[in-house]
Amino acid sequence: MPVSFNHTIIGAHDPALSADFYLAVLGARPAPSWGPFINIQLDDDTLLQFAPAPVNDPIHMAFLMNDDEFDRGYNALRTLAVQHWDPQMTRPGEISTDEGKRVYFKDPSGHLLEMLTQAYL
């Protein structure tokens, strides 16, 4: 079996709020939850598990998607009035279109997220 990424635990001030945010923006789907975790699943079956935890050191995660999914997610950001920036974080309210589409934004717990349509490598 090849190595693949299976799951990660994401600390959240409010796990249910964070899970709902990722469901809306990323178009993920709900997954069975257990213990302290609120779980959602990405299209490639990667499991994101949200757990109650203080967020002292926010993390960065980037989500690769096609143009249609990016547009749907970007529209969700705008509908939810989520502050967002180009990747250099110098132009609020804008995306970059230099190499595919890219946008940076924060989740409800302050983690820095990125949506992109073209992989870096």
Side-chain angles (χ1 to χ4, degrees), residues 14-65:
D14 180 337
L17 177 67
S18 289
D20 287 345
F21 178 81
Y22 283 67
L23 288 169
V25 175
L26 298 180
R29 63 187 185 276
S33 297
W34 58 83
F37 305 112
I38 304 289
N39 298 325
I40 67 170
Q41 208 160 19
L42 302 177
D43 290 335
D44 68 355
D45 292 330
T46 299
L47 187 64
L48 302 182
Q49 298 184 279
F50 298 91
V55 180
N56 299 321
D57 296 316
I59 59 174
H60 170 73
M61 292 180 283
F63 298 92
L64 181 63
M65 54 188 57

Side-chain angles (χ1 to χ4, degrees), residues 6 9 11-13 21 32 55-57 63-64 70-71 77-78 81-82 85 87 89 96 102 104 107-108 114 121:
N6 181 262
I9 298 171
H13 301 301
F21 178 81
V55 180
N56 299 321
D57 296 316
F63 298 92
L64 181 63
F70 182 96
D71 293 343
L77 289 177
R78 293 189 310 182
V82 174
W85 308 266
M89 298 181 79
S96 172
R102 300 175 197 262
Y104 275 56
D107 78 0
E114 177 182 2
L121 297 177

